[in-house]
Amino acid sequence: MKVNYKSSLQHPIFEVVSKAAHELNIESYVIGGFVRDYILQRDFKKDIDIVAIGSGIELALKVSELLPKKPKVQIFKNYGTAMLRFQDTDIEFVGARKESYHFESRNPVVENGTLEDDQNRRDFTINALALSLHSETYGDLLDPFNGFLDLQKKTIRTPLNPDITFSDDPLRMLRAIRFANQLGFEIEGESLASIERNKERIKIISGERIVEELNKILSTDQPSVGFLLLYKTGLLSIILPELTALNQVEEIEGQTHKNNFYHTLEVVDNICKNTNDVWLRWAALMHDIGKAPTKRFDKKLGWTFHGHEFLGGKMAKKIFERLHMPLNQKMKFVQKMVIMSSRPIVLSQDLVTDSAVRRLIFDAGEDVEDLMTLCEADITTKNPAKFKKYHANFEVVRKKIVEVEERDNIRNFQPPITGEEIMALFNLKPSREIGVLKEAIKEAILEGEIPNEYDAAYVFMLHKAQKIGLKINDC
């Protein structure tokens, strides 16, 4: 039985593509994510894939010619694809093709093919769905692998033998898990088993492509679903062994510690309720990675993880380097969050002093709210009384941060007295004494000995200078 989805083709680009294909005497289809998401009634993602039985580049150029303002066509000759942007939507054109692979590479040998060839090469049945743009069959669904049924069954399944699909392009293993996580689908049993069989193939995929998929998993409402699938299939131990190293619980003399792997996934899910910042979600994923290598048992103290935050920060940098993640402010932000991840927790357990809060604000700077969000997500106790108490304590810390910041202006701390002023006042050249005075002023402000004001800092500086033998320049 033919199913027609003409009603889905409301975007004006489809009529133009249909007309352009007719003028070129070729067939054209919309395929993949647009069709899948329409049937699932998901939000339109502002990108559309068009496959042509012929040259996708020629079709793109003809479409541009027929559109008002003739948008620029980006051509990627090596891949036989082209792209243009129309009404805030990216339209990608590709010629139908069949592919063959060498074992050492995920880059295929490409030949011209039929629509069926093109659907055969798709990663999953739900992404092989196509709608005809031919005038006589406009909107007809072409579904050679029962992808529509898989959408109804909420199943991720490969069109062909999964061992071939995943071995040919191992990135598809991560995509299977990502789609399962995003859509709330199950990976069909044989396809899931095939991922485990082919997990070592992921090593030929670049770090950039792996991180792109991990970012999409981390951008879901419940990333733990994806990371548990990554763990179950063995992919996670290859991609992020620092994380799987946390999946252990030891008992000595009747004392055990919590499983920090499952705790970490719970923290990630918690933080997703309060932030869409993928880098803060990365910080949650990495916040305890230093615990595996720092774990020790002490007869008096029990299990300890001394210095795990500092070591975790160093490990985070190595992960960024290994996976070719951006080694810029994003990496520094994640590092800072990992290194400082216990600071507000310690504060919330003790009497919250102004000086401790000032130091927290000084060290965290503009990221103090993100740090508090991370630490609140770190509360995973199942004891309702403790849960309520910890959150109440954090609320006290938050109020104290606002109060202290409004009064002392620490967040973007700039010394009230500059090094240049000190040099001129005491007739000094660049020297250790200048640093001593600036550090003393900063410490006095953070400890609350003096307010963060010029006059108070000036008087304090004169006393300190006198103690270290400096005299004011009278000239």
Side-chain angles (χ1 to χ4, degrees):
M1 182 182 73
K2 281 191 176 181
V3 180
N4 187 278
Y5 282 100
K6 186 176 180 179
S7 59
S8 72
L9 304 177
Q10 298 300 312
H11 196 292
I13 194 65
F14 296 122
E15 290 282 358
V16 179
V17 172
S18 180
K19 182 179 179 183
H22 179 75
E23 290 187 17
L24 293 172
N25 197 29
I26 61 175
E27 297 174 30
S28 62
Y29 302 85
V30 56
I31 196 167
F34 174 87
V35 184
R36 178 199 69 226
D37 289 345
Y38 178 81
I39 295 172
L40 289 175
Q41 298 183 324
R42 296 181 81 225
D43 291 340
F44 175 40
K45 294 294 188 296
K46 296 291 186 182
D47 56 71
I48 295 171
D49 293 329
I50 303 292
V51 62
I53 315 304
S55 171
I57 293 173
E58 282 186 31
L59 181 58
L61 293 169
K62 174 58 74 173
V63 168
S64 175
E65 186 182 309
L66 296 177
L67 285 172
K69 298 184 180 178
K70 295 182 174 49
K72 181 182 177 182
V73 178
Q74 290 180 276
I75 295 173
F76 308 95
K77 282 188 177 180
N78 289 347
Y79 299 99
T81 63
M83 181 185 291
L84 61 82
R85 190 163 179 80
F86 176 64
Q87 292 189 352
D88 295 326
T89 301
D90 291 324
I91 322 293
E92 185 166 349
F93 299 81
V94 62
R97 57 197 187 185
K98 54 184 176 180
E99 299 175 340
S100 57
Y101 289 79
H102 295 299
F103 188 77
E104 298 80 11
S105 172
R106 66 176 290 266
N107 296 319
V109 176
V110 177
E111 302 174 62
N112 292 336
T114 63
L115 176 65
E116 185 178 355
D117 289 328
D118 201 86
Q119 289 173 304
N120 284 341
R121 73 178 183 84
R122 299 281 162 172
D123 49 9
F124 311 114
T125 60
I126 62 172
N127 291 335
L129 297 163
L131 297 179
S132 172
L133 297 178
H134 191 274
S135 58
E136 295 176 5
T137 55
Y138 197 76
D140 280 0
L141 179 67
L142 293 100
D143 179 18
F145 304 110
N146 291 318
F148 183 83
L149 182 61
D150 284 338
L151 285 177
Q152 292 180 315
K153 291 163 58 180
K154 296 189 173 183
T155 298
I156 304 293
R157 183 169 57 89
T158 61
L160 305 176
N161 182 330
D163 285 333
I164 295 173
T165 297
F166 293 139
S167 180
D168 280 350
D169 184 355
L171 187 68
R172 291 168 176 164
M173 297 187 287
L174 291 183
R175 284 171 58 82
I177 291 170
R178 186 252 293 180
F179 278 122
N181 200 167
Q182 280 182 331
L183 301 175
F185 281 25
E186 296 280 338
I187 301 176
E188 175 265 335
E190 182 55 27
S191 296
L192 187 63
S194 177
I195 294 176
E196 188 171 358
R197 286 195 297 270
N198 288 280
K199 61 181 182 293
E200 294 292 329
R201 293 281 290 150
I202 201 65
K203 293 176 180 178
I204 72 168
I205 301 298
S206 71
E208 292 90 341
R209 300 303 299 275
I210 289 172
V211 169
E212 188 178 340
E213 292 301 321
L214 293 180
N215 282 345
K216 289 175 181 178
I217 291 172
L218 279 170
S219 296
T220 64
D221 292 337
Q222 197 176 354
S224 62
V225 173
F227 279 96
L228 285 171
L229 281 170
L230 289 170
Y231 177 74
K232 180 179 180 180
T233 56
L235 286 170
L236 194 61
S237 62
I238 298 171
I239 297 168
L240 286 172
E242 298 87 349
L243 202 56
T244 56
L246 297 174
N247 191 15
Q248 54 177 302
V249 177
E250 289 187 64
E251 180 176 340
I252 296 180
E253 298 182 6
Q255 296 191 56
T256 61
H257 58 84
K258 67 185 173 187
N259 186 306
N260 286 300
F261 174 71
Y262 289 97
H263 164 74
T264 292
L265 296 188
E266 197 172 348
V267 174
V268 173
D269 284 351
N270 284 346
I271 208 166
C272 290
K273 299 168 189 172
N274 296 307
T275 182
N276 291 322
D277 184 345
V278 73
W279 301 108
L280 187 51
R281 294 181 178 198
W282 269 106
L285 190 69
M286 295 187 189
H287 83 283
D288 269 351
I289 55 173
K291 281 192 171 179
T294 59
K295 183 173 70 172
R296 302 286 184 273
F297 182 78
D298 182 280
K299 289 192 175 184
K300 291 183 179 179
L301 301 174
W303 290 103
T304 66
F305 306 91
H306 292 313
H308 77 271
E309 304 94 338
F310 178 72
L311 180 60
K314 294 173 74 172
M315 293 168 70
K317 183 181 180 183
K318 289 181 179 179
I319 290 171
F320 268 67
E321 290 171 341
R322 186 178 74 235
L323 293 178
H324 301 146
M325 296 168 75
L327 302 178
N328 53 19
Q329 290 305 315
K330 295 180 176 67
M331 184 268 290
K332 291 178 181 177
F333 169 78
V334 172
Q335 265 196 306
K336 181 201 278 191
M337 292 296 100
V338 172
I339 290 169
M340 295 191 68
S341 59
S342 295
R343 288 274 293 276
I345 294 173
V346 173
L347 269 183
S348 70
Q349 293 169 346
D350 298 324
L351 181 66
V352 186
T353 64
D354 285 7
S355 61
V357 172
R358 272 190 291 268
R359 289 190 178 280
L360 178 69
I361 298 171
F362 177 80
D363 291 337
E366 287 297 329
D367 301 317
V368 68
E369 282 88 3
D370 286 336
L371 181 61
M372 292 299 295
T373 299
L374 171 60
C375 290
E376 284 178 319
D378 204 4
I379 301 171
T380 60
T381 177
K382 301 302 180 287
N383 182 312
K386 286 184 177 179
F387 185 87
K388 185 176 180 180
K389 176 187 173 184
Y390 294 156
H391 276 280
N393 289 352
F394 270 111
E395 190 57 33
V396 171
V397 176
R398 280 187 179 277
K399 287 179 180 177
K400 199 77 171 177
I401 287 172
V402 173
E403 175 189 319
V404 170
E405 174 58 21
E406 285 180 351
R407 185 181 67 235
D408 298 335
N409 192 27
I410 298 295
R411 186 171 309 204
N412 294 307
F413 182 83
Q414 295 295 328
I417 300 174
T418 67
E420 288 77 12
E421 288 179 273
I422 295 172
M423 290 167 68
L425 187 62
F426 297 104
N427 193 28
L428 293 172
K429 292 181 179 180
S431 60
R432 172 182 167 276
E433 286 81 2
I434 298 166
V436 168
L437 288 177
K438 289 179 69 176
E439 182 66 17
I441 293 168
K442 183 195 83 175
E443 286 295 314
I445 291 170
L446 293 179
E447 285 298 319
E449 295 175 30
I450 60 173
N452 187 11
E453 298 169 358
Y454 181 87
D455 290 345
Y458 186 86
V459 172
F460 175 87
M461 177 191 64
L462 292 180
H463 287 299
K464 183 68 178 177
Q466 189 176 21
K467 286 183 179 180
I468 62 175
L470 292 179
K471 295 181 179 180
I472 294 177
N473 180 16
D474 293 328
C475 298

